[in-house]
Amino acid sequence: MNTTPASAVAIYPGSFDPITNGHLDLIERGARLFDRLIVAILRHDAKQSLFSVAERMEMLSEVVGAFPNVSVDCFDGLLVDYAARQNATAILRGIRAISDYEYELQMALMNRRLQPRIETIFLMAGEAYSFISSRLVKELFSLGGNISGLVPPPVEIRLRQKSEI
Ligand code: PNS
């Protein structure tokens, strides 16, 4: 009998356009729960993005460098198919407020229907981050508001660089 426990791999999927301190909080906590955590950017998002996938991968890689069991990747197509290819047993998602719940429930149930062996694990957003979203950060920045403390420093730098172009 094989007594070696299988290593637990989880996927943390999203648009990450850009990564916020709320995402980072989830990554830090997810990295403690799983042996390996893959932060996976959806490549073909219907949403108009500010940063290219390559730029988002660069920012994420810089920011997660401190966590040895966290890697960054991107994917196309169904999330559960990608998760299965990575031998992941879990999908990690954050919930900020009750307004997130309905969409997340629908997605988790659809994903479970497609791949019953892959569980969606929800973590409540840290209270300091529950109001942060990538969309609000972009809006705030574009209107000249102060975004420090909302995004990791490399993202702040990139946003400034983009506004100078
Ligand atoms: O950060 P977001 O934009 O809320 O992330 C949404 C994401 C990327 C997790 C979701 O859109 C997704 O998984 N897309 C891939 C296609 C898919 O598998 N959809 C769910 C089942 S129909």
Side-chain angles (χ1 to χ4, degrees), residues 25-62:
D25 173 59
L26 223 79
I27 291 169
E28 192 174 346
R29 290 158 60 203
R32 287 199 295 265
L33 290 174
F34 299 99
D35 297 308
R36 217 153 69 73
L37 182 67
I38 304 172
V39 183
I41 304 168
L42 174 63
R43 210 199 306 253
H44 286 121
D45 205 335
K47 286 181 267 177
Q48 184 77 31
S49 60
L50 175 66
F51 290 101
S52 68
V53 172
E55 287 174 316
R56 283 179 267 164
M57 287 207 53
E58 276 170 29
M59 283 186 281
L60 272 164
S61 303
E62 259 182 81

Side-chain angles (χ1 to χ4, degrees), residues 18-25 27 59-60 62-64 129 132 137 147-160:
I19 178 177
T20 67
N21 282 346
H23 294 130
L24 187 55
D25 173 59
I27 291 169
M59 283 186 281
L60 272 164
E62 259 182 81
V63 167
V64 306
Y129 309 106
I132 305 176
V137 164
I147 56 158
S148 68
L150 302 180
V151 292
V155 175
E156 217 176 319
I157 293 167
R158 296 273 185 146
L159 277 167
R160 289 230 165 76

Side-chain angles (χ1 to χ4, degrees), residues 13-16 23 40-42 45 47 75-81 91 93 103-104 106-107 110-111 114:
S15 309
F16 304 106
H23 294 130
I41 304 168
L42 174 63
D45 205 335
K47 286 181 267 177
F75 73 102
D76 277 317
L78 284 178
L79 170 61
V80 286
D81 290 347
I91 291 168
R93 291 288 287 173
Y103 168 62
E104 293 298 335
Q106 257 186 337
M107 204 159 59
M110 185 62 82
N111 284 336
L114 295 167

Side-chain angles (χ1 to χ4, degrees), residues 103-130:
Y103 168 62
E104 293 298 335
L105 176 69
Q106 257 186 337
M107 204 159 59
L109 294 180
M110 185 62 82
N111 284 336
R112 190 198 287 164
R113 186 172 188 275
L114 295 167
Q115 273 284 359
R117 286 167 183 271
I118 299 178
E119 285 290 349
T120 302
I121 311 279
F122 293 106
L123 290 183
M124 295 302 151
E127 57 274 25
Y129 309 106
S130 60

